[in-house]
């Protein structure tokens, strides 16, 4: 028989790790911390982009 069955032990191990709540290749997202300065900078950039898009929208609508 030339066809081989897929290795189910790998997926079983992955499922057991998932069920146990552990993952070997990545940390949980809540353990990754960003500095306060980086978060503040991101918020400022998002607000500035929203203001610029709002001004452009007002200029386009009022023409």
């Amino acid at each position: 028989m030339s066809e081989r069955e897929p290795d189910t032990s790998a997926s079983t191990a992955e499922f057991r790790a998932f069920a146990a709540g552990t993952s070997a290749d990545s940390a949980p997202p809540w353990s990754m911390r960003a500095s306060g300065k980086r978060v503040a900078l991101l918020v400022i950039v998002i607000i500035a982009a929203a203001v610029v898009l709002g001004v452009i929208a007002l200029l386009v609508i009022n023409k």
Side-chain angles (χ1 to χ4, degrees):
M1 206 159 134
S2 63
E3 294 182 29
R4 295 184 180 180
E5 294 289 324
D7 183 19
T8 57
S9 63
S11 63
T12 303
E14 289 176 5
F15 175 75
R16 286 184 181 161
F18 171 75
T22 59
S23 178
D25 56 334
S26 66
W30 54 87
S31 70
M32 297 178 197
R33 306 238 184 254
S35 68
K37 290 181 181 180
R38 177 126 352 207
V39 173
L41 179 65
L42 182 61
V43 168
I44 290 170
V45 167
I46 290 172
I47 291 173
V51 168
V52 168
L53 289 175
V55 169
I56 292 172
L58 285 174
L59 290 174
V60 169
I61 290 173
N62 289 332
K63 281 191 174 186

